[in-house]
């Protein structure tokens, strides 16, 4: 099933977070990494008048890497409030300074786990834990480009496990390993391996069943939501340069089946991947969808951590209770990776998705862009999530730029638009900006 997995990994690549240290060892042995970032951050209070507060930030990290099969990193940003504007919150902070919203529930303590990886991407068993920024389960019909640390006041560690059992691939996902939040699973069967002993039939005909349930009990309480889907993928063309897959899926709300609302959907689509040379990798996906009621494909998407409070806008119905008129929609997704490989070359990694609903004119979109500038000293990353641009618009954005000045010293600039879930269920928004410097070493 490697062919389908490669397509999924290209469409949903996780961006790299740091400018690589040129002093890092190039061998496959054990590597130890340590870093400390310090700087300042302007962040809205998130409640009441929602004015800008000022924070001094210290972000220590410590990691171990063992070749291609093991990686582990610990660390957490410590935000100390030094400018407290209305509504004042300094007295509520831990020790009168450490921002309480960063450490006010059990899930927040999982942010100490930045990354855990056990097993190779092409191995029989893989385990991942930490933050997930563009995670998709299987074909992405239920969980698609999901970001579990999107909310500035909620910092869970998610977990993902994949195992191959003969012709069957099983994948499990938890958005929060310390609380009752989003849990999802997929069982995928390689029909070619079941029905034929010819190698040409392997990894070409895939049948999958997905299920997902959000208990809504962390990062703010929201209505529970369950959904399930069945999908089929056929690789009609596979060679060294091009892969062409046809796919179809049907899905439904699993918690509203006894109601009369038509909470179901069907989708037909195509995925194309092209590799014109070793440095360029392009993947595209197009789907026609029919959905309605309280079901839509990609339920648990990039902006889900806000949509679960307000499906669109800032104070509308939660996504679990949002009614969508029976409608057709068009969904598209594109990913590109340009990596010449030389230190003086520009490297780009980009992915974007968008959906247009015919009857309502609603438009949702999500994009990630990462650029390693020539010279290998500067990396920039931009993430933009747009929801219902035409009627009740909501957008989130995050920009980060890092530049290495010396072999062990780098600077960073951050900016973005944040949303803060409120106790009564709606969202408040504001802008944030930060500036800092970091030191690191690897040996």
């Amino acid at each position: 099933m490697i062919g389908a997995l490669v397509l999924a990994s290209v469409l949903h690549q996780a961006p790299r977070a740091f400018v690589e240290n040129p002093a890092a060892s190039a061998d496959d042995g054990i590597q130890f990494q340590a870093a400390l970032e310090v700087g300042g951050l302007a962040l809205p209070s998130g409640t009441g008048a929602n004015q800008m507060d000022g924070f001094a930030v210290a972000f220590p990290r410590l990691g171990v890497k063992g070749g291609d099969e093991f990686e582990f990193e610990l660390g957490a940003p410590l935000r100390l409030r030094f400018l407290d504007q209305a509504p004042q919150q300094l007295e509520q902070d831990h020790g009168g300074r450490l921002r309480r919203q960063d450490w006010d529930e059990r899930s927040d303590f999982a942010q100490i786990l930045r990354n855990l990886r056990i097993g190779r991407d092409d191995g029989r068993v893989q385990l991942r834990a930490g933050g997930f920024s563009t995670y998709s389960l299987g074909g992405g019909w239920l969980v698609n480009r999901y970001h579990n640390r999107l909310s500035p006041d909620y910092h869970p560690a998610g977990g993902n496990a994949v195992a191959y059992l003969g012709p069957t691939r099983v994948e499990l996902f938890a958005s929060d390993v310390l609380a009752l939040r989003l849990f999802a699973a997929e069982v995928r069967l390689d029909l070619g391996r079941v029905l034929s002993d010819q190698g040409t039939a392997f990894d070409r005909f895939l049948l999958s069943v997905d299920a997902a349930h959000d208990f809504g009990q962390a990062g703010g309480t929201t209505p529970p939501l369950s959904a399930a889907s069945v999908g089929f993928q056929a690789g009609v063309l596979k060679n060294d340069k091009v892969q062409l897959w046809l796919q179809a899926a049907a899905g439904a709300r699993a918690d509203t089946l006894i109601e009369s609302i038509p909470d179901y959907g069907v989708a037909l689509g195509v995925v194309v991947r092209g590799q014109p040379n070793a440095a360029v990798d392009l993947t595209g996906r197009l789907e026609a969808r029919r959905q309605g009621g309280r079901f839509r494909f990609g339920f648990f998407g990039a902006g889900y951590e806000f949509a679960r409070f307000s499906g669109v806008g800032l104070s509308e119905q939660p996504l679990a209770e949002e009614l969508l008129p029976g409608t057709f929609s068009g969904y598209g997704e594109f990913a590109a990776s340009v990596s010449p490989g030389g230190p003086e070359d520009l490297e780009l990694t980009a992915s974007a998705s968008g959906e247009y609903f015919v009857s309502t004119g609603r438009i949702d979109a999500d994009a990630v862009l990462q650029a390693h500038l020539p010279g290998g000293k500067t990396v920039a990353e931009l993430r933009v999530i747009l929801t219902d641009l035409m009627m009740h618009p909501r957008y989130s954005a995050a920009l980060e730029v890092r530049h290495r000045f010396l072999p062990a010293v780098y600077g960073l600039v951050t900016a973005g638009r944040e949303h803060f879930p409120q106790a009564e269920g709606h969202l408040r928004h504001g802008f944030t900006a930060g500036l800092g410097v970091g030191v690191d070493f690897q040996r």
Side-chain angles (χ1 to χ4, degrees), residues 9 62 69 83 90 103 112 154 161 223 237 252 260-261 414 423:
S9 68
L62 180 64
E69 297 192 2
L83 176 62
L90 199 60
W103 306 93
I112 296 173
Y154 177 50
L237 175 62
S260 60
I261 300 173
T414 62

Side-chain angles (χ1 to χ4, degrees), residues 251-257 259-265 292-295 323:
R253 281 289 290 272
D255 52 356
T256 61
L257 294 178
E259 301 182 13
S260 60
I261 300 173
D263 301 325
Y264 61 87
R294 291 196 178 100
F295 175 82
L323 282 174

Side-chain angles (χ1 to χ4, degrees), residues 116-140:
L116 171 64
R117 176 178 58 84
I118 301 175
R120 297 167 57 94
D121 290 339
D122 57 355
R124 306 296 295 180
V125 178
Q126 303 133 37
L127 175 66
R128 304 288 187 273
F132 291 80
S133 62
T134 52
Y135 172 77
S136 290
L137 178 69

Side-chain angles (χ1 to χ4, degrees), residues 47 56 142-143 195 238 254 339 387 401 405 415 424:
T47 59
L142 293 182
V143 184
L195 302 176
K238 294 178 64 178
S339 180
T387 304
V401 179
F405 298 101
E424 57 272 26

Side-chain angles (χ1 to χ4, degrees), residues 230-250:
V230 58
F232 177 73
Q233 297 169 297
V236 298
L237 175 62
K238 294 178 64 178
N239 58 48
D240 294 339
K241 296 291 185 180
V242 179
Q243 293 188 35
L244 174 63
W245 291 76
L246 301 180
Q247 56 188 30

Side-chain angles (χ1 to χ4, degrees), residues 32-35 60-64 72-75 441:
F32 296 92
Q33 306 169 347
R61 300 193 313 279
L62 180 64
V64 178
F72 185 62
E73 183 179 74
L74 298 176
F441 77 88

Side-chain angles (χ1 to χ4, degrees), residues 209-433:
V209 177
D210 295 17
H213 177 74
D214 184 5
F215 291 89
Q217 297 300 310
T221 302
T222 52
L225 193 163
S226 297
S229 71
V230 58
F232 177 73
Q233 297 169 297
V236 298
L237 175 62
K238 294 178 64 178
N239 58 48
D240 294 339
K241 296 291 185 180
V242 179
Q243 293 188 35
L244 174 63
W245 291 76
L246 301 180
Q247 56 188 30
R253 281 289 290 272
D255 52 356
T256 61
L257 294 178
I258 61 174
E259 301 182 13
S260 60
I261 300 173
D263 301 325
Y264 61 87
V266 294
L268 297 173
V270 59
V271 175
V272 180
R273 180 187 184 191
Q275 292 179 290
N277 56 59
V280 179
D281 200 330
L282 305 173
T283 303
R285 172 182 174 184
L286 288 175
E287 276 187 6
R289 298 172 170 178
R290 176 66 169 84
Q291 53 200 337
R294 291 196 178 100
F295 175 82
R296 71 287 320 270
F297 289 102
F299 239 136
F300 308 98
Y304 177 72
E305 285 304 313
F306 297 144
R308 69 189 188 100
F309 293 94
S310 179
V312 296
L314 301 178
S315 56
E316 306 298 324
Q317 287 185 315
L319 180 61
E321 300 175 355
E322 187 181 51
L323 282 174
L324 182 71
T327 182
F328 288 95
S329 70
Y331 176 82
E333 192 167 352
F334 176 77
S337 175
V338 180
S339 180
E344 300 301 322
D345 296 324
L346 173 67
E347 294 186 26
L348 291 175
T349 301
S351 68
S353 69
E355 186 168 13
Y356 173 73
F357 296 83
V358 176
S359 65
T360 62
R362 174 173 169 173
I363 299 175
D364 296 341
D366 169 40
V368 181
L369 173 64
Q370 186 181 72
H372 283 247
L373 301 185
K377 295 182 178 181
T378 305
V379 60
E381 182 181 325
L382 174 66
R383 179 74 182 270
V384 178
I385 302 171
L386 309 173
T387 304
D388 193 11
L389 294 182
M390 306 307 293
M391 296 293 293
H392 303 282
R394 180 179 68 236
Y395 67 91
S396 301
L399 172 68
E400 181 175 289
V401 179
R402 293 171 178 261
H403 179 76
R404 188 170 292 279
F405 298 101
L406 298 171
V409 180
Y410 59 91
L412 64 151
V413 177
T414 62
R417 177 182 169 95
E418 302 273 20
H419 291 84
F420 300 83
Q422 304 298 294
E424 57 272 26
H426 66 268
L427 302 170
R428 297 188 69 89
H429 66 82
F431 295 90
T432 180

